Amino acid sequence: MRRALRIIGEIGLLAACALYLFPVYLVFVNSFKNRQELYENMIALPGKFTKEYYVTAMKKMNFLKAFSNSLIVTIVSITIIVILASMTAWMLVRTNNKLSKILFMVFVATMLIPFQTIMMPLMQVMGWIRTNLHIPMLESLGGLIYMNVGFGASMAVFLYHGFIKSIPVSLEEAATIDGCNKFKVFWKIVLPMLKPTTVTVIILDVIWIWNDYLLPSLVLSGEKLRTIPLSTASFFGQFTIQWNLAMAGLMLTIIPVIIFYLCAQKHIIKGVAAGALK
């Protein structure tokens, strides 16, 4: 009986995995088809696997430029988020007064606010800053990075806060007695111990920032500033859609994330579990 239940469970799990991966399969096989093959049967394998549509898609997307823009935005945003959020969480935990508790609750509360409710006021404020203070918050990668840091800080502070509470204060006191100032205590004692949570924050933010379309579409409009998702949208016109090229562009978009996920997957469960337990 147990064996039968286990087999049924495994079959159900395989079916669920196949159902989940089916959209990826559709994108992959249709990225090699011409329009006739695509409209005849979307599920069937292509008659010939060719890189023609990928080459065309890369040229139309200006892939290398878009890839470099996405890479810059992702790396810089995550670096700033990790440094600032870990410092903030550390100070909130160690001060442990009413003000720090209120500030932490504010960070948690901002996680509940949908971006769609604030995107228009946000663009108005950023436009005012650009016009009156002459700071290029719009039409610049720097402005996009600044906003990514703001929207990503809350979750990072929340994750770091739970982990730092488990770090014994005695370790920091011992380092202080040995001559370390606050700066050295954080960089040499606290931050290395935050590795599991840092890996979790990096993984979650890479997936979010790399795939984000809405915020970059509001901030960036110039072709040279486009990120990967914005470049992919160029295949979806008002009256026509080049589905085969669009599928090839989508595959080019998700391949870097898949590679990153495969390389970092062993840290995901470990980091999330460590943060939850702490």
Side-chain angles (χ1 to χ4, degrees):
M1 185 64 181
R2 291 182 178 178
R3 181 179 175 83
L5 290 175
R6 187 180 66 179
I7 293 175
I8 292 172
E10 290 176 353
I11 293 174
L13 182 61
L14 289 174
C17 291
L19 184 64
Y20 182 79
L21 293 174
F22 184 68
V24 180
Y25 167 80
L26 286 180
V27 173
F28 177 73
V29 297
N30 289 306
S31 65
F32 294 97
K33 296 178 181 179
N34 56 38
R35 287 195 173 188
Q36 181 180 350
E37 288 181 309
L38 193 148
Y39 289 126
E40 284 178 354
N41 190 343
M42 293 184 62
I43 302 177
L45 292 173
K48 180 181 178 182
F49 285 91
T50 174
K51 63 180 182 179
E52 173 186 354
Y53 302 116
Y54 281 87
V55 174
T56 304
M58 289 181 70
K59 290 180 179 178
K60 186 169 183 179
M61 292 170 63
N62 194 4
F63 180 77
L64 293 179
K65 183 62 177 177
F67 181 85
S68 64
N69 288 340
S70 289
L71 200 62
I72 291 170
V73 170
T74 302
I75 292 176
V76 176
S77 298
I78 291 175
T79 301
I80 297 175
I81 288 172
V82 167
I83 294 174
L84 296 184
S86 58
M87 287 181 172
T88 302
W90 180 53
M91 292 307 299
L92 291 177
V93 172
R94 292 299 181 244
T95 50
N96 194 28
N97 53 33
K98 287 186 178 181
L99 179 59
S100 65
K101 292 178 181 178
I102 292 173
L103 290 175
F104 177 67
M105 293 308 299
V106 170
F107 275 108
V108 174
T110 57
M111 296 171 59
L112 306 176
I113 302 175
F115 172 72
Q116 290 79 1
T117 62
I118 61 172
M119 63 181 185
M120 295 312 297
L122 176 67
M123 291 303 105
Q124 291 175 348
V125 171
M126 294 303 163
W128 182 89
I129 292 175
R130 180 179 63 175
T131 302
N132 295 279
L133 302 180
H134 306 291
I135 301 175
M137 302 305 296
L138 301 177
E139 293 301 324
S140 70
L141 297 181
L144 179 59
I145 291 170
Y146 177 82
M147 295 179 216
N148 283 336
V149 172
F151 287 113
S154 298
M155 184 192 68
V157 168
F158 175 74
L159 293 174
Y160 278 121
H161 191 277
F163 194 94
I164 292 172
K165 288 168 69 175
S166 67
I167 299 176
V169 182
S170 57
L171 292 176
E172 300 172 26
E173 292 175 345
T176 303
I177 293 173
D178 289 338
C180 290
N181 54 27
K182 284 280 186 180
F183 184 82
K184 289 183 178 180
V185 168
F186 175 78
W187 285 101
K188 294 187 176 182
I189 305 298
V190 178
L191 189 59
M193 298 181 69
L194 298 178
K195 182 181 177 181
T197 304
T198 299
V199 172
T200 302
V201 170
I202 291 173
I203 292 170
L204 295 176
D205 284 347
V206 163
I207 296 173
W208 156 53
I209 295 174
W210 186 272
N211 293 320
D212 188 25
Y213 173 81
L214 184 54
L215 181 57
S217 69
L218 297 172
V219 178
L220 309 173
S221 60
E223 186 174 347
K224 293 183 178 180
L225 296 175
R226 287 178 181 173
T227 58
I228 289 285
L230 294 182
S231 296
T232 306
S234 62
F235 297 111
F236 298 90
Q238 184 176 359
F239 302 105
T240 60
I241 300 176
Q242 299 172 290
W243 282 111
N244 50 352
L245 296 180
M247 297 296 180
L250 290 173
M251 283 303 303
L252 291 171
T253 301
I254 65 177
I255 284 174
V257 178
I258 292 175
I259 294 174
F260 172 79
Y261 185 86
L262 291 176
C263 295
Q265 63 178 336
K266 66 179 181 180
H267 299 286
I268 294 177
I269 298 177
K270 184 189 300 183
V272 173
L277 292 174
K278 298 298 183 181

